[in-house]
């Protein structure tokens, strides 16, 4: 059936060999089957429009594919779909200094966008460990967050305009890079976080900003999780934070072992907070640190003395996910309001400890955003299937705690295949009905990333 692809693309834009299917058919999840029927590489918006028209005619399912760094299976092709890779649509199309807007194709890699912004004397602040391979289209489709959300917000906040090919093949141009535009429904925001289920994001106008001062990094050893929140409040009252991240002692052990890094402090603490802030705020930060020490919240701390040391301290946080990947972890990406975090972490930690006294539980996350990453590590020798089955037994109980606190079962990693069947813990049946109706309007042929986010 995919022979029809040859009608609308050139041979060099289509791959069907086993290695390519495996490579482009998967994201960073490893728990779903990978079985696409072809991978295609459009060069232009016209190619995408033709592909969508063809898919509707021939009944092909299309899976949009960016840097494939997702953690929820949103870009996995498990059922004979055609993967549509944006690797060839990777050009910066223009920059308008007066608007501080850069226009990119969807396949521009995040780090390339950051570098381009720096060349213009400006700054693109959305940043995460995968910025070397994630693409701007995927970031928009998942409303990617990352490590500077506390100061700069999420990807959504930087999208000023969006060109989209909907599932019915219509090309729509949303918001035109305007700041003010009170003309009704802002369709741009419908596509941000839509996980490729409504259409293909082909181009975006991205806002840039003034670069910050050089940043300092502080790592603090904290006595109790509750105190991490007290430390956050104390620093936030004193200065503007660019980041406020957290990790547990176990997470620190894993990342230092994996990357051969030095421990940040002389002693061990149950939890660590990593803070980033403007160099000019150093005295305010020192005062806040003294206050936290006096309260007994913090036991020790280190402040970066150079850019190289700051980068090394960041590795302690950014390297965690990669350092535990070899344990085939069971992952959760949860959000509650910041005020609810201590009680929530206590509840979920107790639940996990009681259910799996034999498993290692690794906590880290973006505390400043109310976002916790829970990773349960598979013991060596236990088969992956048996491990995931055991973990899934308590998923509903974790999600009940999330629902009780009106939290989110996916703070920043998206729903994809991984969380799809649990969406009702975070979205009401009325909301789900609206989402399904929107899907029907924009993708009536159900060709766009079927089975992701919504069941159909
Ligand atoms: C992070 O914050 C990423 O490091 C990955 O969102 C989180 O691997 C994870 O669970
Ligand atoms: Zn994260």
């Amino acid at each position: 059936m995919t022979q029809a692809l040859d009608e609308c693309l050139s041979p060099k834009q289509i791959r069907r060999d086993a290695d390519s299917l495996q490579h482009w058919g998967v994201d960073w999840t490893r728990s779903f089957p990978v079985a696409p029927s072809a991978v295609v590489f459009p060069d232009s918006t016209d190619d995408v429009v033709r592909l969508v028209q063809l898919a509707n005619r021939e009944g092909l399912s299309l899976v949009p594919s960016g840097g494939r760094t997702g953690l929820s299976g949103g870009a996995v092709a498990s059922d004979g779909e055609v993967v549509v890779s944006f690797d060839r649509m990777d050009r910066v199309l223009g920059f308008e200094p007066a608007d501080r807007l850069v226009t990119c194709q969807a396949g521009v890699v995040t780090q390339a966008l950051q570098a381009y912004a720096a060349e213009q004397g400006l700054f693109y602040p959305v940043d995460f460990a995968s910025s070397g391979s994630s693409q701007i289209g995927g970031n928009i489709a998942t409303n990617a967050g990352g490590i500077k959300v506390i100061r700069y917000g999420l990807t959504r906040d930087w999208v000023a305009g969006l060109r989209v090919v909907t599932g019915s093949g219509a090309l729509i141009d949303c918001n035109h890079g305007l700041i003010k535009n009170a003309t009704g429904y802002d369709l741009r925001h419908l596509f941000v976080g839509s996980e490729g289920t409504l259409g293909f994001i082909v181009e975006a106008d991205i806002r840039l900003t003034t670069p910050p001062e050089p940043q300092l990094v502080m790592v603090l050893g904290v006595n109790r999780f509750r105190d991490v929140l007290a430390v956050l409040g104390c620093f936030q009252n004193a200065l503007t934070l660019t980041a406020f991240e957290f990790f547990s002692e176990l997470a620190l052990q894993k990342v230092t072992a994996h990357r051969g890094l030095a421990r940040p402090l002389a002693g061990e603490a149950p939890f660590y907070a990593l803070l980033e802030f403007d160099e000019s705020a150093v005295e305010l930060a020192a005062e806040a640190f003294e206050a936290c020490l006096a309260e007994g919240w913090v036991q020790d701390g280190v402040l970066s003395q150079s850019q190289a040391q700051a980068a090394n301290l960041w590795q302690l946080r950014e390297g965690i996910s990669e350092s535990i990947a070899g344990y085939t972890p069971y992952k959760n990406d949860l959000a509650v309001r910041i005020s609810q975090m201590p009680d929530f972490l206590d509840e979920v930690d107790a639940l996990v400890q009681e259910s799996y006294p034999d498993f290692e539980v690794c906590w880290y996350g973006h505390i400043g955003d109310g976002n916790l990453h829970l990773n349960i590590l598979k013991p060596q020798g236990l088969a992956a299937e048996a491990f995931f089955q055991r973990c899934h037994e308590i998923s509903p109980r974790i999600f009940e705690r999330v629902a009780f606190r009106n939290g989110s079962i996916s703070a920043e990693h998206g729903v994809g295949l991984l969380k799809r069947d649990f969406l009702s813990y975070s979205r009401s049946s009325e909301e789900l009905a609206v989402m399904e109706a929107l899907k029907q309007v924009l993708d009536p042929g159900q060709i766009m990333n079927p089975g992701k986010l919504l069941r159909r």
Side-chain angles (χ1 to χ4, degrees):
M1 204 155 62
T2 71
Q3 297 318 323
L5 292 169
D6 302 290
E7 286 169 28
C8 76
L9 294 173
S10 68
K12 68 176 188 319
Q13 291 176 286
I14 306 170
R15 292 191 190 211
R16 295 189 176 89
D17 61 286
D19 285 353
S20 299
L21 297 183
Q22 182 61 39
H23 179 78
W24 275 277
V26 72
D27 60 10
W28 277 359
T29 54
R30 291 291 175 266
S31 43
F32 302 107
V34 182
S37 54
V39 189
V40 296
F41 300 88
D43 275 319
S44 64
T45 297
D46 280 354
D47 283 351
V48 178
V49 172
R50 281 202 314 278
L51 261 172
V52 167
Q53 288 166 348
L54 179 92
N56 277 298
R57 259 193 335 266
E58 300 288 328
L60 300 177
S61 298
L62 305 179
V63 175
S65 169
R68 301 180 315 285
T69 57
L71 292 163
S72 297
V76 173
S78 288
D79 193 20
E81 303 93 330
V82 175
V83 174
V84 181
S85 165
F86 281 81
D87 286 4
R88 288 169 72 112
M89 289 183 65
D90 63 347
R91 271 162 295 144
V92 171
L93 300 173
F95 171 64
E96 180 47 65
D99 297 322
R100 293 185 151 194
L101 285 183
V102 54
T103 300
C104 308
Q105 289 185 313
V108 169
V109 169
T110 315
Q111 217 164 59
L113 174 60
Q114 291 165 340
Y116 184 88
E119 281 164 26
Q120 317 308 316
L122 292 171
F123 183 57
Y124 180 62
V126 181
D127 194 18
F128 22 73
S130 61
S131 59
S133 32
S134 68
Q135 298 178 359
I136 188 68
N139 296 351
I140 296 170
T142 55
N143 189 21
I147 53 181
K148 291 184 179 154
V149 172
I150 188 173
R151 180 160 178 183
Y152 293 108
L154 295 124
T155 301
R156 180 187 302 284
D157 301 300
W158 299 90
V159 178
L162 217 50
R163 250 91 51 222
V164 175
V165 179
T166 69
S168 57
L171 175 60
I172 55 175
D173 198 346
C174 311
N175 200 55
H176 309 279
L178 298 171
I179 296 168
K180 289 191 166 180
N181 183 5
T183 54
Y185 311 137
D186 193 335
L187 300 181
R188 166 183 52 154
H189 289 301
L190 206 49
F191 293 98
V192 178
S194 63
E195 301 190 15
T197 59
L198 302 178
F200 287 102
I201 292 161
V202 285
E203 285 173 21
D205 304 311
I206 303 291
R207 209 177 290 295
L208 304 180
T209 190
T210 307
E213 296 177 16
Q215 300 291 296
L216 296 179
V217 176
M218 201 180 241
V219 172
L220 306 175
V222 185
N223 293 324
R224 300 178 310 161
F225 183 74
R226 223 161 261 282
D227 298 340
V228 180
L229 274 295
V231 172
L232 171 66
C234 180
F235 275 82
Q236 269 184 322
N237 287 338
L239 62 146
T240 299
L241 291 170
T242 308
F244 190 95
E245 300 279 311
F246 123 103
F247 44 94
S248 63
E249 169 60 26
L250 181 67
L252 178 69
Q253 286 173 12
K254 298 296 177 196
V255 72
T256 48
H258 184 250
R259 295 218 170 165
L261 299 167
R263 292 180 61 88
L265 306 174
E268 267 188 22
F271 299 107
Y272 300 85
L274 182 151
L275 295 71
E276 190 180 72
F277 48 84
D278 291 350
E279 182 177 77
S280 61
V282 67
E283 277 167 27
L284 297 172
E287 281 165 27
F289 172 67
E290 290 302 330
C292 292
L293 266 183
E295 291 285 353
W297 297 329
V298 156
Q299 48 172 268
D300 197 3
V302 57
L303 175 68
S304 62
Q305 302 299 319
S306 64
Q307 288 303 315
Q309 195 186 359
N312 276 341
L313 291 173
W314 259 120
Q315 282 204 57
L316 298 174
R317 168 63 187 86
E318 288 210 284
I320 298 172
S321 184
E322 190 186 298
S323 73
I324 57 174
Y327 293 86
T328 331
Y330 164 79
K331 283 181 175 297
N332 259 306
D333 166 38
L334 310 167
V336 291
R337 285 193 188 189
I338 291 173
S339 57
Q340 309 248 340
M341 291 192 86
D343 289 345
F344 176 70
L345 184 119
D346 284 351
E347 284 165 14
V348 177
D349 200 36
L351 192 64
V352 173
Q353 296 297 347
E354 162 202 311
S355 313
Y356 312 122
D358 47 336
F359 291 169
E360 286 186 311
V361 179
C362 207
W363 286 103
Y364 52 102
H366 317 280
I367 289 297
D369 316 331
N371 178 187
L372 284 168
H373 295 309
L374 161 65
N375 280 258
I376 302 176
L377 310 187
K378 184 179 84 55
Q380 269 187 349
L382 180 60
E385 211 173 305
F387 170 69
F388 283 116
Q389 201 179 347
R390 269 190 73 191
C391 292
H392 284 313
E393 278 163 21
I394 67 150
S395 294
R397 291 175 67 198
I398 295 178
F399 298 148
E400 273 160 25
R401 303 319 306 160
V402 174
F404 174 72
R405 296 187 180 279
N406 283 322
S408 174
I409 59 158
S410 180
E412 61 172 2
H413 294 169
V415 175
L417 290 169
L418 196 66
K419 295 287 175 68
R420 182 195 65 191
D421 295 340
F422 304 105
L423 204 48
S424 60
Y425 287 95
S426 281
R427 295 302 194 101
S428 66
S429 51
E430 292 80 5
E431 278 183 293
L432 289 172
V434 173
M435 285 162 78
E436 275 159 18
L438 287 169
K439 166 93 175 158
Q440 186 56 34
V441 168
L442 290 160
D443 179 28
Q446 305 285 328
I447 60 156
M448 291 301 307
N449 223 2
K452 315 289 170 48
L453 177 60
L454 301 169
R455 281 211 187 104
R456 37 161 285 132

